[in-house]
Every structure is written in C-alpha cells, then in structure tokens.
Amino acid sequence: MTTNTKNDTTGSLLVFGAGGRVGRAVVAEATARGLGVTAVVRDPAKYRDLEGDSVRLVQGDVTDPDTVATLAPGHTAAVNATVRLDVSSVGHYTAAARALVAGLPKGGVGRLVVVGIATTLETAPGVRVMDAPEFPEEYRAFSQGHVAEFELLAAEAGPELDWLMVVPPMDLNPEAPVTGGYRSAVGTVLDGAGRIAHADLARAIVDEAVGARHHRVQLAVASRD
C-alpha cells in the first residue's frame, strides 16, 4: 500500500467523459496543476461550463478509433472516465478499449488511464467482490464491462501504449471529505477503505496519467483518512 500527494505540472490531458462527476474532477485537478485539457463529451452544448483558458471542449466518441486518433496529438496522456447506462456495459467498455488501443498510439499518446469499478477487485486471491453469490445480478452485468475492458487492454495493448485502471472504493461519494491525498494497492480491496472524494480520486488519476507510477494493473485507491 502507498500514500500519495504528489503534484505534476507538465503536459496536457485528453479526457473522455469530461462531463461526468469523475471527468469534471479530473479536469479541475489537471487545470489546478497548470495542465492543459481537451475535454471530450458527446454533446458539447450541454457542457459549456467546462470551457476555460486551459480547457478545450470538443465533441467526440471514445468508441471511435478515428476520433481518438484525431484528438490525440499534442497530449501527454489520455483518461477514459466515460459511463454509459443506455447500452451494454461490455459493449461500451470493450469498444472504447479497442478504440483507445488503436487510436492513441497513432496520435502519439503513450499513456492511458481508465476508471474502473470496485466490484472487480479481489477480496482474496482469485475471488472478486462481484463473485459473491449474493451479489446483485444487475450490478454484476455492469461490472463485467470493466472486467472485459481490463482483459482487452491486457491482451491487445502493445508496448507503445502504457495503461492503467484506477479503481475507487465502493463508496465514491460526492459528500466525502477531501483529504488532498489517497492510499493505494494493486488489485485488491484496501483494508478499511470505505469511501473517497471525487477530488482525491482525480488526484490519483492525474498522478498516474502524467507520472506513470503503475503499469497494466488495477490500482485500488481510497481516502487516506
């Protein structure tokens, strides 16, 4: 387990799903560090408040490799914080992973951070939260999208794309106190991890996007207090 509070202040991020809670927190964290951001959303007219001196708001589809390749040049790293509840979870996350694997290297981006879900973490070797018999089936179906995403990234991303899945705890809570840091562990649920504020999750995401401390794993993060 590690604890982190580092600030990196170089580069520019390409953020897919910038209009959601996590995406907005990533944009805010990145710009607070002096990073430029290209904020990608499906309908820019709904998210004009994101625009600013350091933020370029654009329309884009994370599941389209041509769009990804077109938007990628000039960025240090990309973040996928998209969520789709109107389509199959497996369909969305595998399509996004394929597009990012294909498009980012074409645009010269070699670092990708995707946002996972705590139900896919292990509670014991080989046993995930979502594997419990009492786990609700509807949540298992959504969780499976992130499992498929991780498996596809592991199988298809070549050495030209260094990727990581950052996974918040079950309670990703907008009311949680912001601590200015976080704890982390690879692949497993953190002991005593109950919640994390969006701002602290965003700190972890941006740390990894520009600092690339962990590679090709699930990195569980939680509030440090």
Side-chain angles (χ1 to χ4, degrees), residues 13 15-33 35 37 39 49-50 55 79 81 115 172-174 178 196-207:
L13 297 187
V15 181
F16 292 92
R21 284 181 172 176
V22 174
R24 285 177 176 274
V26 171
V27 171
E29 175 67 20
T31 56
R33 299 189 191 195
L35 303 173
V37 175
D49 61 303
L50 284 172
V55 181
V79 174
V115 181
L172 176 55
N173 195 321
V178 177
I196 194 170
H198 286 79
D200 289 336
L201 173 60
R203 178 178 290 270
I205 292 169
V206 177
D207 279 351

PDB file of all heavy atoms in Angstrom, residues 13 15-33 35 37 39 49-50 55 79 81 115 172-174 178 196-207:
ATOM      1  N   LEU A  13      -3.758  16.799 -20.955  1.00  0.00           N
ATOM      2  CA  LEU A  13      -4.549  15.582 -20.871  1.00  0.00           C
ATOM      3  C   LEU A  13      -5.734  15.608 -21.840  1.00  0.00           C
ATOM      4  O   LEU A  13      -6.375  16.647 -22.027  1.00  0.00           O
ATOM      5  CB  LEU A  13      -5.094  15.380 -19.460  1.00  0.00           C
ATOM      6  CG  LEU A  13      -4.085  15.193 -18.336  1.00  0.00           C
ATOM      7  CD1 LEU A  13      -4.826  14.840 -17.045  1.00  0.00           C
ATOM      8  CD2 LEU A  13      -3.067  14.123 -18.670  1.00  0.00           C
ATOM      9  N   VAL A  15      -9.286  14.048 -21.990  1.00  0.00           N
ATOM     10  CA  VAL A  15     -10.204  13.442 -21.023  1.00  0.00           C
ATOM     11  C   VAL A  15     -11.525  13.100 -21.699  1.00  0.00           C
ATOM     12  O   VAL A  15     -12.300  13.995 -22.062  1.00  0.00           O
ATOM     13  CB  VAL A  15     -10.449  14.375 -19.819  1.00  0.00           C
ATOM     14  CG1 VAL A  15     -11.393  13.709 -18.817  1.00  0.00           C
ATOM     15  CG2 VAL A  15      -9.131  14.750 -19.151  1.00  0.00           C
ATOM     16  N   PHE A  16     -11.783  11.814 -21.858  1.00  0.00           N
ATOM     17  CA  PHE A  16     -13.061  11.346 -22.384  1.00  0.00           C
ATOM     18  C   PHE A  16     -14.036  11.180 -21.221  1.00  0.00           C
ATOM     19  O   PHE A  16     -13.676  10.693 -20.162  1.00  0.00           O
ATOM     20  CB  PHE A  16     -12.890  10.012 -23.108  1.00  0.00           C
ATOM     21  CG  PHE A  16     -12.093  10.094 -24.366  1.00  0.00           C
ATOM     22  CD1 PHE A  16     -10.713   9.887 -24.358  1.00  0.00           C
ATOM     23  CD2 PHE A  16     -12.709  10.391 -25.569  1.00  0.00           C
ATOM     24  CE1 PHE A  16      -9.971   9.966 -25.522  1.00  0.00           C
ATOM     25  CE2 PHE A  16     -11.972  10.484 -26.748  1.00  0.00           C
ATOM     26  CZ  PHE A  16     -10.595  10.271 -26.719  1.00  0.00           C
ATOM     27  N   GLY A  17     -15.286  11.598 -21.433  1.00  0.00           N
ATOM     28  CA  GLY A  17     -16.263  11.583 -20.353  1.00  0.00           C
ATOM     29  C   GLY A  17     -16.079  12.746 -19.404  1.00  0.00           C
ATOM     30  O   GLY A  17     -16.369  12.638 -18.212  1.00  0.00           O
ATOM     31  N   ALA A  18     -15.622  13.870 -19.929  1.00  0.00           N
ATOM     32  CA  ALA A  18     -15.294  15.025 -19.092  1.00  0.00           C
ATOM     33  C   ALA A  18     -16.508  15.674 -18.454  1.00  0.00           C
ATOM     34  O   ALA A  18     -16.361  16.447 -17.505  1.00  0.00           O
ATOM     35  CB  ALA A  18     -14.542  16.071 -19.925  1.00  0.00           C
ATOM     36  N   GLY A  19     -17.714  15.357 -18.917  1.00  0.00           N
ATOM     37  CA  GLY A  19     -18.906  15.979 -18.362  1.00  0.00           C
ATOM     38  C   GLY A  19     -19.463  15.290 -17.138  1.00  0.00           C
ATOM     39  O   GLY A  19     -20.326  15.842 -16.452  1.00  0.00           O
ATOM     40  N   GLY A  20     -18.986  14.085 -16.823  1.00  0.00           N
ATOM     41  CA  GLY A  20     -19.454  13.367 -15.641  1.00  0.00           C
ATOM     42  C   GLY A  20     -18.746  13.831 -14.379  1.00  0.00           C
ATOM     43  O   GLY A  20     -17.829  14.652 -14.423  1.00  0.00           O
ATOM     44  N   ARG A  21     -19.173  13.282 -13.241  1.00  0.00           N
ATOM     45  CA  ARG A  21     -18.594  13.724 -11.973  1.00  0.00           C
ATOM     46  C   ARG A  21     -17.102  13.458 -11.896  1.00  0.00           C
ATOM     47  O   ARG A  21     -16.315  14.311 -11.487  1.00  0.00           O
ATOM     48  CB  ARG A  21     -19.307  13.041 -10.804  1.00  0.00           C
ATOM     49  CG  ARG A  21     -20.674  13.619 -10.491  1.00  0.00           C
ATOM     50  CD  ARG A  21     -21.315  12.906  -9.304  1.00  0.00           C
ATOM     51  NE  ARG A  21     -22.538  13.564  -8.879  1.00  0.00           N
ATOM     52  CZ  ARG A  21     -23.331  13.107  -7.925  1.00  0.00           C
ATOM     53  NH1 ARG A  21     -23.009  11.975  -7.299  1.00  0.00           N
ATOM     54  NH2 ARG A  21     -24.433  13.752  -7.593  1.00  0.00           N
ATOM     55  N   VAL A  22     -16.696  12.244 -12.272  1.00  0.00           N
ATOM     56  CA  VAL A  22     -15.274  11.927 -12.235  1.00  0.00           C
ATOM     57  C   VAL A  22     -14.530  12.732 -13.290  1.00  0.00           C
ATOM     58  O   VAL A  22     -13.452  13.291 -13.024  1.00  0.00           O
ATOM     59  CB  VAL A  22     -15.044  10.421 -12.431  1.00  0.00           C
ATOM     60  CG1 VAL A  22     -13.551  10.114 -12.532  1.00  0.00           C
ATOM     61  CG2 VAL A  22     -15.661   9.630 -11.282  1.00  0.00           C
ATOM     62  N   GLY A  23     -15.079  12.813 -14.487  1.00  0.00           N
ATOM     63  CA  GLY A  23     -14.432  13.582 -15.540  1.00  0.00           C
ATOM     64  C   GLY A  23     -14.242  15.040 -15.172  1.00  0.00           C
ATOM     65  O   GLY A  23     -13.170  15.625 -15.394  1.00  0.00           O
ATOM     66  N   ARG A  24     -15.262  15.637 -14.586  1.00  0.00           N
ATOM     67  CA  ARG A  24     -15.147  17.035 -14.156  1.00  0.00           C
ATOM     68  C   ARG A  24     -14.069  17.192 -13.078  1.00  0.00           C
ATOM     69  O   ARG A  24     -13.313  18.180 -13.088  1.00  0.00           O
ATOM     70  CB  ARG A  24     -16.489  17.527 -13.624  1.00  0.00           C
ATOM     71  CG  ARG A  24     -17.525  17.814 -14.681  1.00  0.00           C
ATOM     72  CD  ARG A  24     -18.849  18.232 -14.071  1.00  0.00           C
ATOM     73  NE  ARG A  24     -19.808  18.591 -15.102  1.00  0.00           N
ATOM     74  CZ  ARG A  24     -19.914  19.791 -15.649  1.00  0.00           C
ATOM     75  NH1 ARG A  24     -19.125  20.769 -15.237  1.00  0.00           N
ATOM     76  NH2 ARG A  24     -20.816  20.034 -16.586  1.00  0.00           N
ATOM     77  N   ALA A  25     -14.006  16.243 -12.161  1.00  0.00           N
ATOM     78  CA  ALA A  25     -12.989  16.323 -11.117  1.00  0.00           C
ATOM     79  C   ALA A  25     -11.589  16.207 -11.717  1.00  0.00           C
ATOM     80  O   ALA A  25     -10.657  16.888 -11.274  1.00  0.00           O
ATOM     81  CB  ALA A  25     -13.222  15.227 -10.085  1.00  0.00           C
ATOM     82  N   VAL A  26     -11.425  15.353 -12.725  1.00  0.00           N
ATOM     83  CA  VAL A  26     -10.130  15.221 -13.394  1.00  0.00           C
ATOM     84  C   VAL A  26      -9.761  16.515 -14.103  1.00  0.00           C
ATOM     85  O   VAL A  26      -8.610  16.976 -14.027  1.00  0.00           O
ATOM     86  CB  VAL A  26     -10.155  14.035 -14.379  1.00  0.00           C
ATOM     87  CG1 VAL A  26      -8.896  14.025 -15.246  1.00  0.00           C
ATOM     88  CG2 VAL A  26     -10.272  12.720 -13.624  1.00  0.00           C
ATOM     89  N   VAL A  27     -10.710  17.110 -14.799  1.00  0.00           N
ATOM     90  CA  VAL A  27     -10.452  18.390 -15.463  1.00  0.00           C
ATOM     91  C   VAL A  27     -10.026  19.450 -14.451  1.00  0.00           C
ATOM     92  O   VAL A  27      -9.052  20.186 -14.658  1.00  0.00           O
ATOM     93  CB  VAL A  27     -11.693  18.861 -16.252  1.00  0.00           C
ATOM     94  CG1 VAL A  27     -11.501  20.291 -16.768  1.00  0.00           C
ATOM     95  CG2 VAL A  27     -11.975  17.918 -17.415  1.00  0.00           C
ATOM     96  N   ALA A  28     -10.740  19.528 -13.332  1.00  0.00           N
ATOM     97  CA  ALA A  28     -10.420  20.521 -12.307  1.00  0.00           C
ATOM     98  C   ALA A  28      -9.036  20.282 -11.715  1.00  0.00           C
ATOM     99  O   ALA A  28      -8.261  21.221 -11.500  1.00  0.00           O
ATOM    100  CB  ALA A  28     -11.481  20.490 -11.207  1.00  0.00           C
ATOM    101  N   GLU A  29      -8.706  19.027 -11.423  1.00  0.00           N
ATOM    102  CA  GLU A  29      -7.397  18.697 -10.853  1.00  0.00           C
ATOM    103  C   GLU A  29      -6.281  19.020 -11.839  1.00  0.00           C
ATOM    104  O   GLU A  29      -5.245  19.590 -11.468  1.00  0.00           O
ATOM    105  CB  GLU A  29      -7.355  17.220 -10.466  1.00  0.00           C
ATOM    106  CG  GLU A  29      -6.014  16.725  -9.968  1.00  0.00           C
ATOM    107  CD  GLU A  29      -5.595  17.313  -8.642  1.00  0.00           C
ATOM    108  OE1 GLU A  29      -6.460  17.809  -7.894  1.00  0.00           O
ATOM    109  OE2 GLU A  29      -4.379  17.281  -8.338  1.00  0.00           O
ATOM    110  N   ALA A  30      -6.485  18.655 -13.087  1.00  0.00           N
ATOM    111  CA  ALA A  30      -5.451  18.899 -14.091  1.00  0.00           C
ATOM    112  C   ALA A  30      -5.200  20.394 -14.295  1.00  0.00           C
ATOM    113  O   ALA A  30      -4.046  20.848 -14.330  1.00  0.00           O
ATOM    114  CB  ALA A  30      -5.854  18.249 -15.418  1.00  0.00           C
ATOM    115  N   THR A  31      -6.262  21.161 -14.408  1.00  0.00           N
ATOM    116  CA  THR A  31      -6.075  22.597 -14.636  1.00  0.00           C
ATOM    117  C   THR A  31      -5.493  23.279 -13.407  1.00  0.00           C
ATOM    118  O   THR A  31      -4.729  24.239 -13.536  1.00  0.00           O
ATOM    119  CB  THR A  31      -7.398  23.260 -15.047  1.00  0.00           C
ATOM    120  OG1 THR A  31      -8.405  23.009 -14.059  1.00  0.00           O
ATOM    121  CG2 THR A  31      -7.867  22.741 -16.396  1.00  0.00           C
ATOM    122  N   ALA A  32      -5.819  22.781 -12.209  1.00  0.00           N
ATOM    123  CA  ALA A  32      -5.229  23.338 -10.992  1.00  0.00           C
ATOM    124  C   ALA A  32      -3.721  23.144 -10.962  1.00  0.00           C
ATOM    125  O   ALA A  32      -2.999  23.916 -10.326  1.00  0.00           O
ATOM    126  CB  ALA A  32      -5.865  22.707  -9.755  1.00  0.00           C
ATOM    127  N   ARG A  33      -3.233  22.137 -11.654  1.00  0.00           N
ATOM    128  CA  ARG A  33      -1.795  21.875 -11.724  1.00  0.00           C
ATOM    129  C   ARG A  33      -1.119  22.606 -12.871  1.00  0.00           C
ATOM    130  O   ARG A  33       0.070  22.456 -13.093  1.00  0.00           O
ATOM    131  CB  ARG A  33      -1.536  20.379 -11.881  1.00  0.00           C
ATOM    132  CG  ARG A  33      -2.047  19.527 -10.751  1.00  0.00           C
ATOM    133  CD  ARG A  33      -1.555  18.101 -10.908  1.00  0.00           C
ATOM    134  NE  ARG A  33      -2.230  17.201  -9.991  1.00  0.00           N
ATOM    135  CZ  ARG A  33      -1.787  15.981  -9.724  1.00  0.00           C
ATOM    136  NH1 ARG A  33      -0.686  15.534 -10.298  1.00  0.00           N
ATOM    137  NH2 ARG A  33      -2.447  15.209  -8.874  1.00  0.00           N
ATOM    138  N   LEU A  35      -2.019  22.122 -16.090  1.00  0.00           N
ATOM    139  CA  LEU A  35      -2.066  21.296 -17.289  1.00  0.00           C
ATOM    140  C   LEU A  35      -3.155  21.783 -18.232  1.00  0.00           C
ATOM    141  O   LEU A  35      -4.205  22.265 -17.793  1.00  0.00           O
ATOM    142  CB  LEU A  35      -2.357  19.843 -16.919  1.00  0.00           C
ATOM    143  CG  LEU A  35      -1.396  19.164 -15.948  1.00  0.00           C
ATOM    144  CD1 LEU A  35      -1.927  17.793 -15.564  1.00  0.00           C
ATOM    145  CD2 LEU A  35      -0.019  19.046 -16.549  1.00  0.00           C
ATOM    146  N   VAL A  37      -6.116  20.822 -20.947  1.00  0.00           N
ATOM    147  CA  VAL A  37      -7.065  19.715 -21.043  1.00  0.00           C
ATOM    148  C   VAL A  37      -7.895  19.846 -22.313  1.00  0.00           C
ATOM    149  O   VAL A  37      -8.394  20.932 -22.625  1.00  0.00           O
ATOM    150  CB  VAL A  37      -8.015  19.679 -19.827  1.00  0.00           C
ATOM    151  CG1 VAL A  37      -9.083  18.597 -20.010  1.00  0.00           C
ATOM    152  CG2 VAL A  37      -7.247  19.432 -18.536  1.00  0.00           C
ATOM    153  N   ALA A  39     -11.322  18.421 -23.211  1.00  0.00           N
ATOM    154  CA  ALA A  39     -12.463  17.779 -22.560  1.00  0.00           C
ATOM    155  C   ALA A  39     -13.393  17.240 -23.640  1.00  0.00           C
ATOM    156  O   ALA A  39     -13.993  18.014 -24.386  1.00  0.00           O
ATOM    157  CB  ALA A  39     -13.189  18.773 -21.668  1.00  0.00           C
ATOM    158  N   ASP A  49     -20.006  24.982 -19.557  1.00  0.00           N
ATOM    159  CA  ASP A  49     -19.365  25.472 -18.341  1.00  0.00           C
ATOM    160  C   ASP A  49     -17.965  24.896 -18.149  1.00  0.00           C
ATOM    161  O   ASP A  49     -17.180  25.411 -17.347  1.00  0.00           O
ATOM    162  CB  ASP A  49     -20.219  25.150 -17.119  1.00  0.00           C
ATOM    163  CG  ASP A  49     -20.428  23.650 -16.936  1.00  0.00           C
ATOM    164  OD1 ASP A  49     -20.940  23.006 -17.873  1.00  0.00           O
ATOM    165  OD2 ASP A  49     -20.063  23.141 -15.857  1.00  0.00           O
ATOM    166  N   LEU A  50     -17.635  23.835 -18.868  1.00  0.00           N
ATOM    167  CA  LEU A  50     -16.303  23.257 -18.755  1.00  0.00           C
ATOM    168  C   LEU A  50     -15.235  24.090 -19.458  1.00  0.00           C
ATOM    169  O   LEU A  50     -14.045  23.987 -19.134  1.00  0.00           O
ATOM    170  CB  LEU A  50     -16.283  21.847 -19.371  1.00  0.00           C
ATOM    171  CG  LEU A  50     -16.910  20.720 -18.557  1.00  0.00           C
ATOM    172  CD1 LEU A  50     -16.985  19.453 -19.407  1.00  0.00           C
ATOM    173  CD2 LEU A  50     -16.109  20.461 -17.297  1.00  0.00           C
ATOM    174  N   VAL A  55      -8.906  24.797 -20.962  1.00  0.00           N
ATOM    175  CA  VAL A  55      -9.764  23.665 -21.328  1.00  0.00           C
ATOM    176  C   VAL A  55     -10.391  23.903 -22.693  1.00  0.00           C
ATOM    177  O   VAL A  55     -11.100  24.891 -22.902  1.00  0.00           O
ATOM    178  CB  VAL A  55     -10.878  23.441 -20.284  1.00  0.00           C
ATOM    179  CG1 VAL A  55     -11.738  22.246 -20.687  1.00  0.00           C
ATOM    180  CG2 VAL A  55     -10.286  23.227 -18.904  1.00  0.00           C
ATOM    181  N   VAL A  79      -7.334   9.959 -20.534  1.00  0.00           N
ATOM    182  CA  VAL A  79      -8.123   9.405 -19.436  1.00  0.00           C
ATOM    183  C   VAL A  79      -9.492   9.022 -19.987  1.00  0.00           C
ATOM    184  O   VAL A  79     -10.127   9.818 -20.685  1.00  0.00           O
ATOM    185  CB  VAL A  79      -8.289  10.430 -18.297  1.00  0.00           C
ATOM    186  CG1 VAL A  79      -9.246   9.897 -17.225  1.00  0.00           C
ATOM    187  CG2 VAL A  79      -6.941  10.794 -17.690  1.00  0.00           C
ATOM    188  N   ALA A  81     -13.023   8.329 -18.577  1.00  0.00           N
ATOM    189  CA  ALA A  81     -13.934   8.374 -17.430  1.00  0.00           C
ATOM    190  C   ALA A  81     -15.380   8.264 -17.891  1.00  0.00           C
ATOM    191  O   ALA A  81     -16.292   8.712 -17.197  1.00  0.00           O
ATOM    192  CB  ALA A  81     -13.724   9.668 -16.642  1.00  0.00           C
ATOM    193  N   VAL A 115     -10.889   4.447 -15.736  1.00  0.00           N
ATOM    194  CA  VAL A 115     -11.502   4.386 -14.413  1.00  0.00           C
ATOM    195  C   VAL A 115     -12.291   3.088 -14.302  1.00  0.00           C
ATOM    196  O   VAL A 115     -13.186   2.816 -15.109  1.00  0.00           O
ATOM    197  CB  VAL A 115     -12.425   5.591 -14.171  1.00  0.00           C
ATOM    198  CG1 VAL A 115     -13.027   5.522 -12.766  1.00  0.00           C
ATOM    199  CG2 VAL A 115     -11.648   6.895 -14.357  1.00  0.00           C
ATOM    200  N   LEU A 172     -17.877   5.891  -3.783  1.00  0.00           N
ATOM    201  CA  LEU A 172     -17.326   7.076  -4.441  1.00  0.00           C
ATOM    202  C   LEU A 172     -18.320   8.189  -4.172  1.00  0.00           C
ATOM    203  O   LEU A 172     -19.333   8.324  -4.840  1.00  0.00           O
ATOM    204  CB  LEU A 172     -17.146   6.825  -5.932  1.00  0.00           C
ATOM    205  CG  LEU A 172     -16.670   7.993  -6.787  1.00  0.00           C
ATOM    206  CD1 LEU A 172     -15.385   8.587  -6.256  1.00  0.00           C
ATOM    207  CD2 LEU A 172     -16.513   7.551  -8.238  1.00  0.00           C
ATOM    208  N   ASN A 173     -18.018   9.003  -3.169  1.00  0.00           N
ATOM    209  CA  ASN A 173     -19.039   9.820  -2.521  1.00  0.00           C
ATOM    210  C   ASN A 173     -18.793  11.303  -2.727  1.00  0.00           C
ATOM    211  O   ASN A 173     -17.749  11.824  -2.313  1.00  0.00           O
ATOM    212  CB  ASN A 173     -19.037   9.498  -1.021  1.00  0.00           C
ATOM    213  CG  ASN A 173     -20.264  10.004  -0.310  1.00  0.00           C
ATOM    214  OD1 ASN A 173     -20.761  11.089  -0.599  1.00  0.00           O
ATOM    215  ND2 ASN A 173     -20.759   9.212   0.636  1.00  0.00           N
ATOM    216  N   PRO A 174     -19.734  12.013  -3.362  1.00  0.00           N
ATOM    217  CA  PRO A 174     -19.550  13.457  -3.542  1.00  0.00           C
ATOM    218  C   PRO A 174     -19.535  14.224  -2.236  1.00  0.00           C
ATOM    219  O   PRO A 174     -19.079  15.364  -2.179  1.00  0.00           O
ATOM    220  CB  PRO A 174     -20.752  13.861  -4.414  1.00  0.00           C
ATOM    221  CG  PRO A 174     -21.768  12.809  -4.193  1.00  0.00           C
ATOM    222  CD  PRO A 174     -21.006  11.544  -3.959  1.00  0.00           C
ATOM    223  N   VAL A 178     -12.568  15.932   1.359  1.00  0.00           N
ATOM    224  CA  VAL A 178     -11.369  15.928   0.516  1.00  0.00           C
ATOM    225  C   VAL A 178     -10.148  15.939   1.423  1.00  0.00           C
ATOM    226  O   VAL A 178      -9.998  16.827   2.270  1.00  0.00           O
ATOM    227  CB  VAL A 178     -11.358  17.143  -0.425  1.00  0.00           C
ATOM    228  CG1 VAL A 178     -10.076  17.184  -1.245  1.00  0.00           C
ATOM    229  CG2 VAL A 178     -12.581  17.122  -1.336  1.00  0.00           C
ATOM    230  N   ILE A 196     -14.117   7.603  -0.994  1.00  0.00           N
ATOM    231  CA  ILE A 196     -13.142   8.563  -1.481  1.00  0.00           C
ATOM    232  C   ILE A 196     -13.907   9.716  -2.116  1.00  0.00           C
ATOM    233  O   ILE A 196     -14.980   9.517  -2.701  1.00  0.00           O
ATOM    234  CB  ILE A 196     -12.166   7.933  -2.498  1.00  0.00           C
ATOM    235  CG1 ILE A 196     -10.950   8.848  -2.729  1.00  0.00           C
ATOM    236  CG2 ILE A 196     -12.857   7.615  -3.814  1.00  0.00           C
ATOM    237  CD1 ILE A 196      -9.833   8.210  -3.523  1.00  0.00           C
ATOM    238  N   ALA A 197     -13.409  10.908  -1.933  1.00  0.00           N
ATOM    239  CA  ALA A 197     -13.982  12.076  -2.591  1.00  0.00           C
ATOM    240  C   ALA A 197     -13.571  12.085  -4.065  1.00  0.00           C
ATOM    241  O   ALA A 197     -12.504  11.592  -4.432  1.00  0.00           O
ATOM    242  CB  ALA A 197     -13.487  13.348  -1.903  1.00  0.00           C
ATOM    243  N   HIS A 198     -14.424  12.663  -4.900  1.00  0.00           N
ATOM    244  CA  HIS A 198     -14.089  12.757  -6.319  1.00  0.00           C
ATOM    245  C   HIS A 198     -12.775  13.500  -6.532  1.00  0.00           C
ATOM    246  O   HIS A 198     -11.981  13.139  -7.412  1.00  0.00           O
ATOM    247  CB  HIS A 198     -15.225  13.452  -7.082  1.00  0.00           C
ATOM    248  CG  HIS A 198     -16.429  12.587  -7.276  1.00  0.00           C
ATOM    249  ND1 HIS A 198     -17.358  12.372  -6.284  1.00  0.00           N
ATOM    250  CD2 HIS A 198     -16.848  11.871  -8.343  1.00  0.00           C
ATOM    251  CE1 HIS A 198     -18.312  11.572  -6.734  1.00  0.00           C
ATOM    252  NE2 HIS A 198     -18.022  11.246  -7.988  1.00  0.00           N
ATOM    253  N   ALA A 199     -12.528  14.523  -5.734  1.00  0.00           N
ATOM    254  CA  ALA A 199     -11.295  15.302  -5.894  1.00  0.00           C
ATOM    255  C   ALA A 199     -10.064  14.461  -5.591  1.00  0.00           C
ATOM    256  O   ALA A 199      -9.028  14.591  -6.262  1.00  0.00           O
ATOM    257  CB  ALA A 199     -11.329  16.539  -4.999  1.00  0.00           C
ATOM    258  N   ASP A 200     -10.139  13.591  -4.579  1.00  0.00           N
ATOM    259  CA  ASP A 200      -8.997  12.738  -4.251  1.00  0.00           C
ATOM    260  C   ASP A 200      -8.803  11.647  -5.304  1.00  0.00           C
ATOM    261  O   ASP A 200      -7.671  11.283  -5.640  1.00  0.00           O
ATOM    262  CB  ASP A 200      -9.168  12.121  -2.871  1.00  0.00           C
ATOM    263  CG  ASP A 200      -9.004  13.135  -1.752  1.00  0.00           C
ATOM    264  OD1 ASP A 200      -8.339  14.174  -1.977  1.00  0.00           O
ATOM    265  OD2 ASP A 200      -9.550  12.908  -0.652  1.00  0.00           O
ATOM    266  N   LEU A 201      -9.899  11.109  -5.829  1.00  0.00           N
ATOM    267  CA  LEU A 201      -9.795  10.164  -6.934  1.00  0.00           C
ATOM    268  C   LEU A 201      -9.141  10.828  -8.141  1.00  0.00           C
ATOM    269  O   LEU A 201      -8.259  10.249  -8.782  1.00  0.00           O
ATOM    270  CB  LEU A 201     -11.175   9.636  -7.306  1.00  0.00           C
ATOM    271  CG  LEU A 201     -11.249   8.755  -8.561  1.00  0.00           C
ATOM    272  CD1 LEU A 201     -10.390   7.510  -8.425  1.00  0.00           C
ATOM    273  CD2 LEU A 201     -12.707   8.388  -8.864  1.00  0.00           C
ATOM    274  N   ALA A 202      -9.554  12.047  -8.429  1.00  0.00           N
ATOM    275  CA  ALA A 202      -8.971  12.771  -9.560  1.00  0.00           C
ATOM    276  C   ALA A 202      -7.481  13.002  -9.359  1.00  0.00           C
ATOM    277  O   ALA A 202      -6.697  12.941 -10.318  1.00  0.00           O
ATOM    278  CB  ALA A 202      -9.693  14.099  -9.755  1.00  0.00           C
ATOM    279  N   ARG A 203      -7.071  13.267  -8.134  1.00  0.00           N
ATOM    280  CA  ARG A 203      -5.648  13.431  -7.849  1.00  0.00           C
ATOM    281  C   ARG A 203      -4.877  12.161  -8.223  1.00  0.00           C
ATOM    282  O   ARG A 203      -3.821  12.220  -8.849  1.00  0.00           O
ATOM    283  CB  ARG A 203      -5.432  13.765  -6.374  1.00  0.00           C
ATOM    284  CG  ARG A 203      -3.972  13.898  -5.965  1.00  0.00           C
ATOM    285  CD  ARG A 203      -3.862  14.268  -4.497  1.00  0.00           C
ATOM    286  NE  ARG A 203      -4.307  15.633  -4.271  1.00  0.00           N
ATOM    287  CZ  ARG A 203      -3.497  16.696  -4.323  1.00  0.00           C
ATOM    288  NH1 ARG A 203      -2.217  16.545  -4.580  1.00  0.00           N
ATOM    289  NH2 ARG A 203      -3.977  17.901  -4.106  1.00  0.00           N
ATOM    290  N   ALA A 204      -5.422  11.007  -7.841  1.00  0.00           N
ATOM    291  CA  ALA A 204      -4.769   9.744  -8.176  1.00  0.00           C
ATOM    292  C   ALA A 204      -4.708   9.539  -9.683  1.00  0.00           C
ATOM    293  O   ALA A 204      -3.680   9.098 -10.229  1.00  0.00           O
ATOM    294  CB  ALA A 204      -5.514   8.590  -7.510  1.00  0.00           C
ATOM    295  N   ILE A 205      -5.800   9.837 -10.368  1.00  0.00           N
ATOM    296  CA  ILE A 205      -5.848   9.658 -11.822  1.00  0.00           C
ATOM    297  C   ILE A 205      -4.820  10.541 -12.512  1.00  0.00           C
ATOM    298  O   ILE A 205      -4.070  10.088 -13.393  1.00  0.00           O
ATOM    299  CB  ILE A 205      -7.264   9.941 -12.348  1.00  0.00           C
ATOM    300  CG1 ILE A 205      -8.232   8.855 -11.865  1.00  0.00           C
ATOM    301  CG2 ILE A 205      -7.280  10.039 -13.873  1.00  0.00           C
ATOM    302  CD1 ILE A 205      -9.699   9.191 -12.099  1.00  0.00           C
ATOM    303  N   VAL A 206      -4.757  11.806 -12.137  1.00  0.00           N
ATOM    304  CA  VAL A 206      -3.814  12.720 -12.780  1.00  0.00           C
ATOM    305  C   VAL A 206      -2.374  12.359 -12.416  1.00  0.00           C
ATOM    306  O   VAL A 206      -1.472  12.413 -13.259  1.00  0.00           O
ATOM    307  CB  VAL A 206      -4.143  14.181 -12.435  1.00  0.00           C
ATOM    308  CG1 VAL A 206      -3.111  15.125 -13.044  1.00  0.00           C
ATOM    309  CG2 VAL A 206      -5.535  14.545 -12.942  1.00  0.00           C
ATOM    310  N   ASP A 207      -2.134  11.982 -11.151  1.00  0.00           N
ATOM    311  CA  ASP A 207      -0.805  11.500 -10.769  1.00  0.00           C
ATOM    312  C   ASP A 207      -0.335  10.395 -11.709  1.00  0.00           C
ATOM    313  O   ASP A 207       0.801  10.395 -12.193  1.00  0.00           O
ATOM    314  CB  ASP A 207      -0.818  10.949  -9.340  1.00  0.00           C
ATOM    315  CG  ASP A 207      -0.719  12.009  -8.263  1.00  0.00           C
ATOM    316  OD1 ASP A 207      -0.474  13.188  -8.590  1.00  0.00           O
ATOM    317  OD2 ASP A 207      -0.895  11.655  -7.082  1.00  0.00           O
TER     318      ASP A 207
END
